[in-house]
Amino acid sequence: MFYSNFATTRIKFKEPHLLADCPKAPKIRRTFTLTVLDKLIAQDLLKTLVSVWSVIVVIIVSREFIRVLDKAIQGRVSSETLATLLALKTLIIGVSLLPPALFMAVLMVLGKMYRDQEMSAVASAGGGVLTLYRAVFLLVLPLSVAAAGLSLYATPWAEATTANIMHAGDESADLRGIAAGKFSEYSQGDLVFYVESISDDNVMHDVFVQHRQGGTPSIITAESARLRELPEGRYVMFYHGERVQGVPGQLDFVIEKFQDYAVRVEEPDTAVFYTRTAVAAETLWVSGAAVDRAELQRRWSVPLGMLLLSLLAVPLAQVSPRGGVFGNILIGFVIYFCYGNLLRISQLWVTKEVIPVWLGGAGVNFLLLAVGGVLLARLYGWRWLYSHLAQRGAA
C-alpha cells in the first residue's frame, strides 16, 4: 500500500485584484428597432384610418356643401369661391373627426387580428399588451402631435377665412344670382329682375325690372343691361329701353324712353362676425374668460381624445375567434357617444362657470382613462395591472 502526505495550502485572492484582473463585460445598450409586427400593425392601421376617415368626412362635408350651394343659388356666395369653401370645410370637419376615425380603425385592425387568431401567434412569441401598444402608438403619437397643431392653429384660420368669404359674399350678393328665364329678387325686394338670356360676357338681354324707389314703383324694360362698378358705387346700366313710373290706380304716370339708364344697387354695410372657433389660439391663451377657456379645452380634446381612445381601444378590441365581423365596434360607438356628449356638457358648464376650469378639462379625460384601466384589468387581471404599475413606479 502506498501512502502520500499532501500539504494543503490556502491561497487568498483579494477582491480588488480579482476584479481588476477579470475582463469587464461590455455594457448592453438598448436600441429602438422596428419589428415586423410593428410595421404590419402600423401600416394596416394607417390604411384603415384613411378609409374610415374619408368615408365619414365625405358624408359630413357633403351635407355642409349642400348648404353652401343653396347660398350660392341665392347669390350670397360667389361661384368662384365654392372650391375654396369646400376645402376649408373639409379641413375644419376633418380635424374634428380624427378621434372617432382613429378609434374605429384601431378596433377594426386589432379585432381582425383576434378573429384570425394572429394574436395567439403574437402571444406564443412572447408578445403582450405592451407590444400592441407600442405598435399602435407608433402611428398614434405623431398623428396626435399633428392633430394638436391643426386643431389649435389651422382650424381657427379656416374658420376666420370662411367668415371673411361669407361676409364678402353678403356684401356683394345683389345681382349675382340672376339666371336666365326666372325672376330674381334683390335689395330687400326693391329690385325684381327677369332676364331672357345672358351672354358669355355677362350682358343680360331682354330685361324686365320692377324697381321701387321712395315708395313709388316703376317698370323698366330694356334690350340689354349689365352690372358696372363706378366710383359712386355699383350700378345696373340699362340700354335701349322704356321706363314707366307711377302708382297703380292713379293717372299721373311718367313714361320715358332712354338710350341708357342707371339704377344704383344698395350695398349692405355689415361687419364681419367671428365665432369663438375662429379666434386665434394666442388670444385664447392670454384671455381669462371662461368662454375662451372652454374653447381651448375643445381644441385640446382632439389630440387628447386620439391618445385616450387609442389607449382604450387595445383592450376593447379583444374578441373571440367566433365573434362577429364587427366585434366590439358597437360598444365603441356607445363609448364615443358618451365621451363626446360629456365633453360638450363639461365645456358648457365651464362656459357658464358651473364647474372650475381644471375639472372641465381633466374630468372627462380621467374618466375615460379609468375606463381603459378597468378594461385592461378585466382582460389581464388586476394583479397584472398592479405589478406593471409598480414596476413603472420603481423605474
Side-chain angles (χ1 to χ4, degrees), residues 149-195:
L150 292 173
S151 181
L152 288 173
Y153 301 103
T155 53
W157 168 82
E159 291 280 5
T161 306
T162 302
N164 291 331
I165 293 176
M166 298 301 294
H167 175 258
D170 288 336
E171 284 190 333
S172 59
D174 283 331
L175 304 178
R176 180 183 293 129
I178 293 179
K182 73 171 188 177
F183 287 92
S184 304
E185 183 177 314
Y186 303 97
S187 296
Q188 299 179 352
D190 291 337
L191 280 175
V192 178
F193 271 80
Y194 179 84
V195 179

Side-chain angles (χ1 to χ4, degrees), residues 206-367:
D206 297 331
V207 183
F208 171 85
V209 177
Q210 176 183 300
H211 179 217
R212 187 182 302 275
Q213 188 175 15
T216 303
S218 60
I219 302 297
I220 302 173
T221 56
E223 294 181 3
S224 62
R226 69 183 308 161
L227 182 66
R228 294 188 60 183
E229 298 286 347
L230 299 178
E232 297 81 7
R234 183 183 293 112
Y235 286 83
V236 181
M237 303 296 298
F238 299 93
Y239 302 98
H240 307 291
E242 184 180 70
R243 175 175 175 266
V244 179
Q245 181 178 8
V247 178
Q250 299 182 5
L251 300 179
D252 53 343
F253 276 80
V254 178
I255 302 176
E256 57 184 359
K257 293 186 178 182
F258 56 84
Q259 295 295 321
D260 53 68
Y261 182 78
V263 175
R264 183 173 182 177
V265 180
E266 296 182 1
E267 300 180 10
D269 186 14
T270 58
V272 185
F273 175 74
Y274 296 107
T275 60
R276 304 310 302 173
T277 57
V279 179
E282 294 82 1
T283 305
L284 298 178
W285 283 116
V286 299
S287 175
V291 62
D292 294 332
R293 295 298 181 184
E295 175 61 23
L296 270 179
Q297 291 177 10
R298 186 194 66 81
R299 297 182 188 180
W300 275 111
S301 65
V302 174
L304 289 177
M306 294 175 67
L307 292 173
L308 295 176
L309 289 172
S310 299
L311 183 71
L312 180 67
V314 173
L316 186 63
Q318 186 195 27
V319 292
S320 62
R322 297 181 180 180
V325 177
F326 297 101
N328 291 330
I329 290 184
L330 181 59
I331 301 177
F333 272 117
V334 175
I335 291 177
Y336 180 76
F337 178 79
C338 297
Y339 172 67
N341 281 278
L342 287 176
L343 278 179
R344 284 186 284 271
I345 292 174
S346 65
Q347 291 163 11
L348 179 62
W349 284 353
V350 170
T351 302
K352 295 183 177 181
E353 299 182 354
V354 177
I355 58 177
V357 176
W358 67 267
L359 182 59
V364 180
N365 294 321
F366 274 118
L367 179 61

Side-chain angles (χ1 to χ4, degrees), residues 63-77 82 166 182:
R63 295 178 57 186
E64 292 293 327
F65 194 60
I66 290 175
R67 300 176 185 176
V68 176
L69 286 177
D70 182 57
K71 293 181 181 180
I73 294 174
Q74 297 175 6
R76 296 176 58 189
V77 176
L82 287 179
M166 298 301 294
K182 73 171 188 177

